[in-house]
Amino acid sequence: MKPNSGTLVINIMNGGKAEAYEGVYQCTARNERGAAISNNIVIRPSRSPLWTKEKLEPNQVREGDSLVLHCRPPVGLPPPIIFWMDNAFQRLPQSERVSQGLNGDLYFSNVQPEDTREDYICYARFNHTQTIQQKQPISVKVLSMDSLNDTIAANLSDTDIYGAKPVTERQPVLLTPTGSTSTKVELRGNVLLLECIAAGLPTPVIRWIKEGGELPANRTFFENFKKTLKIIDVSEADSGNYKCIARNILGSVHHVISVTVKAAPYWITAPKNLVLSPGEDGTLICRANGNPKPNISWLANGVPIAIAPEDPSRKVDGDTIIFSHVQERSSAVYQCNASNEYGYLLANAFVNVLAEPPRILTPPNKLYQVIADSPALLHCAYFGSPKPEIEWFKGVKGSILRGNEYVFHDNGTLEIPVAQKDSSGTYTCVARNELGKTQNEVQLEVKDPTMIIKQPEYKVIQRYGQVSFECIIKHDSTLLPTVIWLKDNDELPDDERFLIGKDNLTIMNVTDKDDGTYTCIVNTTLDSVSASAVLTVVARPNPPFDLELTGQLERSIELSWIPGDENNSPITNFVIEYEDGLHEPGVWHYQTEVPGTQTTVQLKLSPYVNYSFRVIAVNEIGRSQPSEPSEQYLTKSANPDENPSNVQGIGSEPDNLVITWESLKGFQSNGPGLQYKVSWRQKDVDDEWTSVIVANVSKYIVSGTPTFVPYEIKVQALNDLGYAPEPSEVIGHSGEDLPMVAPGNVQVHVINSTLAKVHWDPVPVKTVRGHLQGYKVYYWKVQSLSRRSRRHVEKKILTFRGNKTFGMLPGLEPYSSYKLNVRVVNGKGEGPASPDKVFKTPEGVPSSPSFLKITNPTLDSLTLEWGSPTHPNGVLISYILKFQPINNTHELGPLVEIRIPANESSMILKNLNYSTRYKFYFNAQTSVGSGSQITEEAVTIMDEVQPLYPRIRNVTTAAAETYANISWEYEGPDHANFYVEYGVAGTMASRQVDIATQGWFIGLMCAVALLILILLIVCFIRRNKGGKYPVKEKEDAHADPEIQPMKEDDGTFGEYSDAEDHKPLKKGSRTPSDRTVKKEDSDDSLVDYGEGVNGQFNEDGSFIGQYSGKKEKEPAEGNESSEAPSPVNAMNSFV
């Protein structure tokens, strides 16, 4: 026995036999308080005996019969494991027909010729001794019906009738167990194994049922091809009748196994240690169950209680010992033994009679820390006999704790189910019994819970991007949190791409491996919280692979592929491309596309193409790399399916016809030797087709054709295998030449001063000698009738598309002389011009005067100067001047009108009010009417400007050897005199140059003061006398009082003025408010207008753009007013 231990060591390594130590052992532990004993320990040596020698006869059996090969292994301890093998140590195959039984025998439901062999060997493996025993080989010979008939025939004469019956099918027969019923006993908790093996041909199928119930779920298993029923952890409820049924096509057989579940003893209530104080009562209870019911016996200190020393305080009552008024000598160890025929139970219980005052085992002033709203357990481990009573107090002078908010456990622990911040403090545990009293204080601190106030969120990120998960926490200030990040509940990869910040986790350059669930865990010494988020890494899909071509036909093929990884973004579609290795190697073309759920496609093919295909996968992120190309597939040659497109016939010279077409692409040729058959003949002439075959080009020129005649043209493709289908005919024309004649009978109708209409007769169609594109009208201004001065002639051109015979000439200058001619245009160019036609435009209203200046203001007069209109547009007959005063509140006074002769260019306007602002309106007139006006404002005296006092500033000097230059800026009255003071450094000298007397200066200042006083008095008087105008006049301040609409018969067309009319408007001028051509002025619409060189026409030849042409510029005259334009002028300019 080991020192200081109860362990018994038996060592036979150095000699001795194991059989010498075989027996039953029991351990007893004893002291002055009593003795305890262990369960019985049985020691038996393992055995692996040899097979007994026996003579085995060969087994001869007819085909289809059943056979059992017995193993009968030697009895070992523990029992051996049985298995069947051949001479090559290979396990024999087993099936529904051939299988090994629970007893180790090998069963054949029916034998077949292939079962013939001489090495059926049964092996027994003894695991404890690590040995394997082998039975002698067993020979089996299966006699087939053919060989059996041959043997019988050799032993009989020719006259005998012989012949074995052929293999016949047989109903099932049970090989094991035998009979119709059997019994089985199994112990509770063990594994129940039931077996049924049947013979028959065909091989029977086994089925199991439980009579009057169901097989237990989750504990039932079928083994050995359903020939063995296995029920684990059986209980008394599993007792009953189990039926196995063997069935084939000829019938069935069954066997009923009656199962009884027995039980070794098992505890219901095991005796427990009992601590009593002198004079107390107690009980030891020992309750067990089993099948059959176990017997209960008691021992005291290892001795049967019947012969143990008597104790008046105990009484045995079956499975219970009752103690009354125990004394200290009653201490002992009691053993309870529960046994039946299947086993026994043994338990020790210590009865300890003690007299001890209370002791508290929990350390004093122990600190407990908990999180708010969680349970708090304050321990008060105690010991004492009799058992002390426990009371809890809070605080130094607190009352005893009671109520539903506390839970008092038997072990002395105080539980606060939901601790709050105000639960913190000192708690006192008091333990008392009749022998004394003791107490202990503990501390409770309730902390704020740790929370994740900003949790990580689900993220979807593209490969190689950057992602960040936030984890912002809030915690108790006295707790130190630690933050741990996990990926898929494991540590983060050791990778520098993972950056852990104070409140976040950042992953740089994300890869596919980073996909997963990321968890932020916050730990303190008291609590732990966590939050998780999923990262999904998406990317363009991986390219498809394993492209396969099947179903090859002349004009179609089936392509299939395996999609690559979609990288967390579903594939939406596949794009199929092809390469023509024969005509365009290395160039990939789009073929078709299919939905992302499809992995095969039927492709249409063209003849004479060496196809290779590749597939591209597409998802929301983008396109994958192309797959590897498929194998090549060369389609057979064929006639062309189509002819060239866009066939045209257009002559480049008057005597040729250029036939062009778009050549077929390589894969459209359908075969080698692509050529074209070009055919033509003159239209509407009874000519035969002229044809020529050309190489793979796109143009053919026919020479010697008449000028501009129609031809019928067709181009047909052909290759080495034949022609394409008959092509359709197109109409072309031979080359054009310049038109031969000019339009005749040119007439001009002047509509108004800026618009004219020109008419002409169309030229004969045959003289056009080409496609009629339209007519061009050349026109130019010869001179202005008002100035009688010629200038550089600049022609303007309007083009009228189609077969038009008239057109509008807009933008003419009034009162001017013009010339024009008309020419016909075809695709080659322009024909000869018609004779020049002269026409004149009538007078129009003039433009505004070129300038208006108001100078020399005095107290009662103003001088007006003006320039004549830039565009008089006729003979000027007079100027109209209108003016009216404006007071300081911008109210208008009465309007005065003066007519001035046309030959005047200035005038002095007298008898005006002093210190008054006036507004002037000025325009010119012809016989047609008044032109645009120009406005200005002026005052009769500059009362709005304060008098200037003399001031000198910005004095600068530049010194040389003998002189110095001194300059300055002066502000003040005219006729001032200046003097300069200068001196040498260290001294000061002065010199007066042309200085005025002091008396003159004083007189000047007095005059200025007197003048200002007079002006103030006058302004005060006029303000008090001034009248108020209606509100309407306030709103119309600065407005033109006589804005007149355009006259119906004026006809001025603002948009179509020539260069001189396109000058910017002077300040204060206005354009006519009506910019439309009245119906009565012209019956022609704008579609009659031509276009300039860069103009455009609608399909019907109508004008859709303004004319273009260089416009001669004229210098502007006059000065613009220094005053801002009035509101009405601004409006007129806008309109």
Side-chain angles (χ1 to χ4, degrees):
M1 193 164 61
K2 285 186 176 181
N4 302 319
S5 171
T7 302
L8 178 64
V9 179
I10 301 175
N11 189 350
I12 59 173
M13 299 298 293
N14 297 325
K17 294 183 178 181
E19 290 80 359
Y21 297 97
E22 186 174 1
V24 180
Y25 293 78
Q26 191 173 47
C27 173
T28 301
R30 189 184 308 275
N31 65 9
E32 69 275 6
R33 290 282 187 172
I37 61 176
S38 69
N39 284 322
N40 290 339
I41 301 171
V42 179
I43 294 180
R44 296 179 62 186
S46 61
R47 297 182 178 88
S48 53
L50 299 176
W51 248 289
T52 58
K53 295 292 184 179
E54 58 180 327
K55 184 177 181 181
L56 300 178
E57 297 293 336
N59 291 278
Q60 290 190 359
V61 60
R62 291 192 308 171
E63 180 182 355
D65 289 350
S66 62
L67 175 64
V68 179
L69 300 182
H70 299 287
C71 180
R72 299 190 184 98
V75 178
L77 188 68
I81 298 174
I82 306 301
F83 51 92
W84 289 80
M85 293 197 300
D86 57 16
N87 280 331
F89 296 101
Q90 298 297 317
R91 286 186 177 269
L92 296 176
Q94 298 189 21
S95 63
E96 291 183 347
R97 185 178 64 84
V98 181
S99 61
Q100 178 182 317
L102 295 176
N103 62 356
D105 293 345
L106 190 63
Y107 293 87
F108 295 79
S109 296
N110 51 79
V111 295
Q112 301 296 328
E114 61 267 20
D115 296 329
T116 299
R117 62 190 309 158
E118 296 179 351
D119 56 350
Y120 286 93
I121 304 174
C122 179
Y123 288 86
R125 185 175 65 207
F126 298 90
N127 284 344
H128 201 73
T129 60
Q130 297 182 352
T131 58
I132 296 178
Q133 301 293 345
Q134 173 183 338
K135 187 181 179 72
Q136 293 180 354
I138 301 175
S139 174
V140 174
K141 183 177 181 181
V142 179
L143 301 177
S144 64
M145 292 300 100
D146 293 338
S147 62
L148 192 59
N149 287 335
D150 292 342
T151 302
I152 295 173
N155 297 325
L156 297 177
S157 63
D158 293 340
T159 59
D160 294 329
I161 299 176
Y162 67 93
K165 295 182 179 179
V167 177
T168 58
E169 296 178 338
R170 291 177 289 106
Q171 291 186 0
V173 176
L174 287 177
L175 298 177
T176 183
T178 59
S180 60
T181 62
S182 61
T183 60
K184 174 76 172 180
V185 176
E186 192 56 76
L187 292 181
R188 179 179 183 268
N190 287 353
V191 176
L192 173 64
L193 294 174
L194 303 179
E195 181 181 57
C196 273
I197 300 177
L201 187 67
T203 302
V205 176
I206 306 298
R207 186 169 65 92
W208 291 89
I209 61 173
K210 182 181 181 182
E211 294 182 346
E214 297 290 336
L215 294 175
N218 303 324
R219 294 189 294 116
T220 301
F221 303 93
F222 298 100
E223 297 179 347
N224 197 19
F225 309 99
K226 291 191 176 182
K227 299 175 185 179
T228 301
L229 171 65
K230 178 180 178 181
I231 301 176
I232 62 174
D233 192 22
V234 295
S235 64
E236 290 85 343
D238 295 324
S239 296
N241 293 329
Y242 291 83
K243 178 188 289 187
C244 70
I245 303 170
R247 184 186 303 275
N248 67 9
I249 59 176
L250 299 181
S252 64
V253 65
H254 68 270
H255 183 91
V256 176
I257 304 174
S258 178
V259 175
T260 302
V261 178
K262 299 291 185 178
Y266 56 91
W267 289 118
I268 296 176
T269 303
K272 297 180 180 179
N273 294 336
L274 193 60
V275 178
L276 299 174
S277 58
E280 284 189 327
D281 301 334
T283 57
L284 285 179
I285 301 174
C286 177
R287 291 177 182 167
N289 199 1
N291 187 8
K293 188 172 180 63
N295 295 320
I296 303 296
S297 61
W298 289 95
L299 295 87
N301 294 326
V303 178
I305 201 166
I307 61 174
E310 291 188 6
D311 184 352
S313 64
R314 80 173 173 237
K315 177 183 177 182
V316 178
D317 184 9
D319 58 5
T320 303
I321 300 178
I322 302 172
F323 297 93
S324 303
H325 302 288
V326 296
Q327 302 300 319
E328 289 191 39
R329 63 177 182 272
S330 299
S331 295
V333 180
Y334 291 86
Q335 292 81 33
C336 174
N337 186 306
S339 60
N340 64 11
E341 60 186 285
Y342 298 107
Y344 78 97
L345 295 173
L346 179 67
N348 291 281
F350 178 39
V351 177
N352 193 7
V353 181
L354 293 175
E356 291 286 341
R359 294 202 309 268
I360 295 179
L361 307 178
T362 300
N365 293 316
K366 184 174 181 179
L367 176 63
Y368 293 92
Q369 294 179 326
V370 297
I371 296 297
D373 297 326
S374 63
L377 297 174
L378 309 182
H379 299 297
C380 182
Y382 63 90
F383 179 77
S385 183
K387 181 180 178 181
E389 293 181 359
I390 303 299
E391 294 178 331
W392 281 92
F393 299 85
K394 183 180 180 185
V396 179
K397 297 181 180 179
S399 59
I400 186 171
L401 297 180
R402 292 187 178 87
N404 296 329
E405 64 270 25
Y406 301 103
V407 178
F408 302 95
H409 293 273
D410 291 340
N411 63 355
T413 298
L414 171 65
E415 179 182 355
I416 306 175
V418 183
Q420 301 296 331
K421 293 288 284 186
D422 57 4
S423 301
S424 300
T426 301
Y427 289 79
T428 303
C429 167
V430 177
R432 61 165 57 92
N433 65 10
E434 59 189 38
L435 300 179
K437 165 188 168 184
T438 186
Q439 67 180 34
N440 186 33
E441 291 182 351
V442 295
Q443 306 295 325
L444 175 62
E445 292 181 357
V446 181
K447 307 291 186 179
D448 290 327
T450 304
M451 295 184 294
I452 300 178
I453 58 177
K454 178 71 173 179
Q455 297 186 357
E457 298 177 347
Y458 173 72
K459 300 281 187 178
V460 177
I461 189 70
Q462 289 192 30
R463 186 188 295 165
Y464 309 125
Q466 175 179 326
V467 68
S468 182
F469 291 107
E470 287 187 297
C471 184
I472 301 176
I473 63 173
K474 179 182 179 183
H475 62 91
D476 192 283
S477 58
T478 63
L479 299 177
L480 182 62
T482 58
V483 179
I484 301 174
W485 286 90
L486 302 179
K487 179 182 181 295
D488 297 329
N489 295 323
D490 202 353
E491 293 183 357
L492 290 179
D494 185 11
D495 194 329
E496 61 184 7
R497 297 182 300 108
F498 289 79
L499 306 177
I500 299 178
K502 178 184 177 182
D503 298 323
N504 58 24
L505 167 66
T506 301
I507 307 174
M508 312 288 291
N509 196 22
V510 174
T511 66
D512 293 337
K513 295 181 179 179
D514 300 331
D515 196 278
T517 301
Y518 289 83
T519 303
C520 166
I521 301 177
V522 185
N523 293 320
T524 67
T525 55
L526 299 181
D527 62 348
S528 177
V529 291
S530 64
S532 299
V534 175
L535 173 63
T536 300
V537 181
V538 296
R540 295 184 300 173
N542 292 348
F545 57 93
D546 282 355
L547 272 65
E548 184 179 5
L549 298 176
T550 56
Q552 289 90 341
L553 300 175
E554 290 187 2
R555 292 297 182 99
S556 68
I557 198 169
E558 185 176 271
L559 173 66
S560 61
W561 62 91
I562 298 177
D565 192 341
E566 63 184 17
N567 292 324
N568 295 323
S569 181
I571 296 174
T572 57
N573 57 292
F574 292 99
V575 178
I576 293 88
E577 296 179 339
Y578 73 91
E579 176 197 29
D580 182 1
L582 193 63
H583 303 97
E584 294 180 292
V587 180
W588 290 91
H589 301 276
Y590 173 85
Q591 171 89 7
T592 186
E593 61 183 82
V594 296
T597 56
Q598 188 173 329
T599 58
T600 60
V601 63
Q602 193 77 19
L603 301 175
K604 293 183 179 180
L605 306 179
S606 297
Y608 194 54
V609 177
N610 193 12
Y611 281 100
S612 290
F613 300 97
R614 70 183 186 184
V615 183
I616 300 172
V618 183
N619 63 9
E620 290 185 356
I621 309 304
R623 296 162 62 101
S624 72
Q625 292 294 321
S627 67
E628 291 295 325
S630 69
E631 60 180 307
Q632 291 186 334
Y633 178 62
L634 178 62
T635 55
K636 295 181 180 179
S637 302
N639 293 6
D641 292 328
E642 51 189 309
N643 288 301
S645 59
N646 198 23
V647 178
Q648 294 181 340
I650 301 174
S652 60
E653 298 295 336
D655 60 347
N656 74 4
L657 171 67
V658 180
I659 302 173
T660 61
W661 61 89
E662 288 187 10
S663 301
L664 298 181
K665 295 183 179 179
F667 72 91
Q668 295 175 310
S669 65
N670 287 6
L674 178 64
Q675 294 178 302
Y676 300 101
K677 179 181 178 182
V678 183
S679 304
W680 68 92
R681 67 180 179 185
Q682 189 171 341
K683 190 175 183 296
D684 301 329
V685 177
D686 191 13
D687 282 350
E688 296 293 330
W689 286 95
T690 303
S691 299
V692 63
I693 295 178
V694 299
N696 188 10
V697 295
S698 60
K699 180 172 72 173
Y700 183 77
I701 300 177
V702 180
S703 302
T705 63
T707 301
F708 196 68
V709 295
Y711 278 87
E712 295 176 326
I713 304 168
K714 58 183 179 180
V715 180
Q716 186 178 21
L718 68 151
N719 61 18
D720 291 350
L721 278 79
Y723 286 86
E726 185 67 22
S728 58
E729 300 173 5
V730 298
I731 303 300
H733 288 80
S734 56
E736 300 180 69
D737 206 347
L738 294 177
M740 300 173 61
V741 300
N745 192 24
V746 177
Q747 301 292 330
V748 179
H749 170 60
V750 178
I751 296 175
N752 55 41
S753 60
T754 61
L755 182 65
K757 185 175 183 179
V758 58
H759 294 265
W760 61 87
D761 291 341
V763 298
V765 175
K766 291 186 178 180
T767 65
V768 177
R769 299 201 296 181
H771 295 286
L772 176 64
Q773 294 187 357
Y775 292 87
K776 284 187 178 181
V777 176
Y778 286 74
Y779 66 101
W780 60 96
K781 180 179 176 181
V782 178
Q783 67 178 14
S784 174
L785 299 179
S786 59
R787 295 181 178 175
R788 302 296 179 183
S789 61
R790 293 182 177 272
R791 62 178 182 176
H792 173 69
V793 175
E794 182 178 349
K795 292 184 178 181
K796 299 179 181 179
I797 305 172
L798 285 178
T799 301
F800 299 92
R801 297 288 184 184
N803 194 20
K804 300 264 296 185
T805 59
F806 65 91
M808 307 297 291
L809 303 181
L812 304 177
E813 294 184 15
Y815 206 51
S816 299
S817 176
Y818 281 88
K819 286 185 179 182
L820 65 78
N821 59 53
V822 184
R823 309 176 191 191
V824 65
V825 181
N826 66 10
K828 189 71 173 180
E830 300 176 5
S834 66
D836 291 346
K837 187 74 174 179
V838 179
F839 67 95
K840 298 178 181 179
T841 56
E843 289 188 79
V845 296
S847 63
S848 61
S850 58
F851 69 90
L852 173 63
K853 293 195 299 183
I854 303 174
T855 60
N856 300 327
T858 66
L859 290 176
D860 62 349
S861 67
L862 292 171
T863 300
L864 278 69
E865 298 177 358
W866 59 87
S868 60
T870 305
H871 302 287
N873 295 335
V875 178
L876 296 180
I877 58 176
S878 64
Y879 291 101
I880 303 298
L881 174 65
K882 301 175 185 177
F883 63 93
Q884 60 189 150
I886 307 173
N887 63 17
N888 290 336
T889 60
H890 300 285
E891 294 174 328
L892 300 175
L895 185 69
V896 179
E897 180 177 335
I898 300 176
R899 185 176 295 272
I900 304 171
N903 58 354
E904 296 290 340
S905 62
S906 66
M907 71 173 294
I908 298 175
L909 194 61
K910 299 182 179 180
N911 299 322
L912 301 176
N913 296 329
Y914 56 88
S915 187
T916 302
R917 177 178 294 276
Y918 287 89
K919 183 164 185 178
F920 297 88
Y921 312 91
F922 194 70
N923 64 329
Q925 273 190 332
T926 64
S927 61
V928 176
S930 298
S932 302
Q933 64 183 11
I934 185 172
T935 64
E936 283 290 350
E937 292 185 9
V939 293
T940 53
I941 192 168
M942 302 300 292
D943 60 331
E944 297 172 339
V945 180
Q946 298 295 328
L948 296 176
Y949 296 97
R951 185 173 67 166
I952 296 175
R953 60 190 180 90
N954 295 340
V955 178
T956 60
T957 61
E961 290 183 358
T962 59
Y963 66 92
N965 284 332
I966 303 171
S967 60
W968 60 85
E969 293 180 7
Y970 168 75
E971 294 179 359
D974 295 338
H975 312 295
N977 298 310
F978 304 94
Y979 67 92
V980 178
E981 291 183 351
Y982 64 93
V984 181
T987 63
M988 188 64 187
S990 65
R991 182 178 181 184
Q992 182 172 334
V993 180
D994 194 17
I995 61 174
T997 64
Q998 187 177 5
W1000 176 88
F1001 182 77
I1002 294 173
L1004 177 62
M1005 293 298 101
C1006 291
V1008 171
L1010 180 60
L1011 178 60
I1012 292 174
L1013 179 61
I1014 294 173
L1015 290 176
L1016 291 175
I1017 294 172
V1018 171
C1019 289
F1020 179 78
I1021 295 174
R1022 288 186 62 84
R1023 175 179 290 275
N1024 291 337
K1025 289 183 178 181
K1028 299 294 181 179
Y1029 289 87
V1031 175
K1032 176 61 179 175
E1033 292 186 15
K1034 291 184 180 181
E1035 295 176 351
D1036 295 337
H1038 299 243
D1040 185 356
E1042 296 181 3
I1043 298 177
Q1044 299 178 1
M1046 176 187 286
K1047 296 179 181 180
E1048 290 285 337
D1049 59 350
D1050 186 357
T1052 301
F1053 211 78
E1055 298 97 312
Y1056 303 106
S1057 62
D1058 199 356
E1060 293 177 318
D1061 285 337
H1062 291 175
K1063 296 290 183 181
L1065 294 174
K1066 299 300 180 183
K1067 184 174 297 184
S1069 67
R1070 66 181 180 90
T1071 59
S1073 60
D1074 185 359
R1075 292 176 178 239
T1076 59
V1077 177
K1078 296 291 188 270
K1079 179 68 178 177
E1080 57 269 29
D1081 292 338
S1082 174
D1083 292 332
D1084 297 314
S1085 64
L1086 290 181
V1087 299
D1088 297 329
Y1089 295 174
E1091 64 174 353
V1093 175
N1094 298 324
Q1096 296 180 353
F1097 288 82
N1098 290 333
E1099 293 182 356
D1100 60 356
S1102 61
F1103 170 79
I1104 61 172
Q1106 290 184 346
Y1107 74 92
S1108 64
K1110 297 180 180 179
K1111 299 176 176 58
E1112 182 178 351
K1113 295 183 179 179
E1114 295 183 357
E1117 297 180 1
N1119 297 325
E1120 294 188 356
S1121 171
S1122 61
E1123 296 291 325
S1126 66
V1128 68
N1129 289 333
M1131 179 189 71
N1132 290 336
S1133 298
F1134 177 77
V1135 173

